[in-house]
């Protein structure tokens, strides 16, 4: 499996941890409004073995929740697309930078709660297919899987 998942809160050191491990990686933002399949289609391969970093998941999820009311369908779509990404990028690493939000705090706003739910499910689904999952907190990196 090609997928590596880095999880952590804002300014936890995820980007530094990824850059340290894969200094030659190409960084490609996931644009709000596009699917993972559309993201993969626009990413240009520079050759076999070049790592690619996918970032911008939280703003992407926020935009997806604004346009898609069937959240189960949205989740099924990204689950299938994650599997396809894993196959497409192999054997080169595809590094996904995910987000931890809230630290268990439940917001009053319904949409904010839904965003946190969807973010948690995305992280679970990405972790399920990832070869290795890393957690970054205060610049410290811990392997959770792999």
């Amino acid at each position: 499996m090609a997928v590596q998942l880095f999880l952590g809160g804002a300014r936890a050191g995820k980007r530094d941890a990824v850059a340290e491990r894969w200094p030659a990686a190409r960084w490609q933002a996931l644009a709000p409004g596009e699917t993972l399949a559309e993201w993969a289609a626009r990413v240009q391969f520079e050759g076999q073995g070049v790592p690619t970093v996918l970032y911008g998941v939280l703003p992407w999820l926020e935009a997806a929740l604004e346009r898609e009311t069937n959240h189960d369908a949205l989740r099924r779509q990204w689950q299938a697309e994650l599997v396809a990404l894993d196959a497409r990028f192999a054997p080169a690493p595809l590094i996904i930078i995910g987000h931890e939000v809230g630290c268990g705090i439940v917001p009053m706003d319904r949409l904010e709660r839904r965003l946190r739910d969807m973010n948690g499910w995305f992280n679970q689904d990405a972790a399920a297919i990832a070869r290795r999952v890393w957690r970054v907190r205060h610049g410290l990196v811990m392997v959770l899987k792999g």
Side-chain angles (χ1 to χ4, degrees):
M1 285 188 242
V3 173
Q4 306 273 329
L5 176 63
F6 279 74
L7 297 170
R11 310 293 179 253
K14 299 180 298 286
R15 287 176 177 261
D16 291 340
V18 170
E20 179 182 311
R21 285 159 180 77
W22 293 280
R26 296 171 305 134
W27 293 70
Q28 301 285 333
L30 182 57
E34 73 182 344
T35 65
L36 290 172
E38 291 167 340
W39 174 86
R42 77 173 162 80
V43 171
Q44 298 297 316
F45 287 95
E46 293 177 5
Q48 195 81 347
V50 177
T52 301
V53 180
L54 182 155
Y55 68 97
V57 172
L58 200 58
W60 170 75
L61 279 172
E62 193 168 19
L65 287 172
E66 289 175 4
R67 75 171 195 283
E68 177 60 65
T69 57
N70 185 339
H71 300 146
D72 292 332
L74 178 63
R75 185 174 184 199
R76 283 190 302 274
Q77 179 183 347
W78 82 51
Q79 286 171 330
E81 289 175 336
L82 282 168
V83 171
L85 284 179
D86 184 38
R88 178 172 182 193
F89 282 84
L94 170 62
I95 303 108
I96 299 173
I97 296 182
H99 301 275
E100 290 180 356
V101 292
C103 295
I105 297 171
V106 180
M108 297 292 289
D109 182 72
R110 184 183 67 78
L111 292 176
E112 286 295 317
R113 285 193 308 273
R114 197 63 182 154
L115 176 60
R116 289 178 192 204
D117 289 346
M118 297 302 281
N119 182 67
W121 287 324
F122 179 87
N123 289 340
Q124 288 179 46
D125 295 337
I129 66 149
R131 187 176 129 236
R132 184 166 283 164
V133 179
W134 314 71
R135 181 166 189 236
V136 184
R137 186 173 170 107
H138 306 299
L140 303 171
V141 182
M142 178 175 38
V143 176
L144 300 177
K145 176 183 174 182

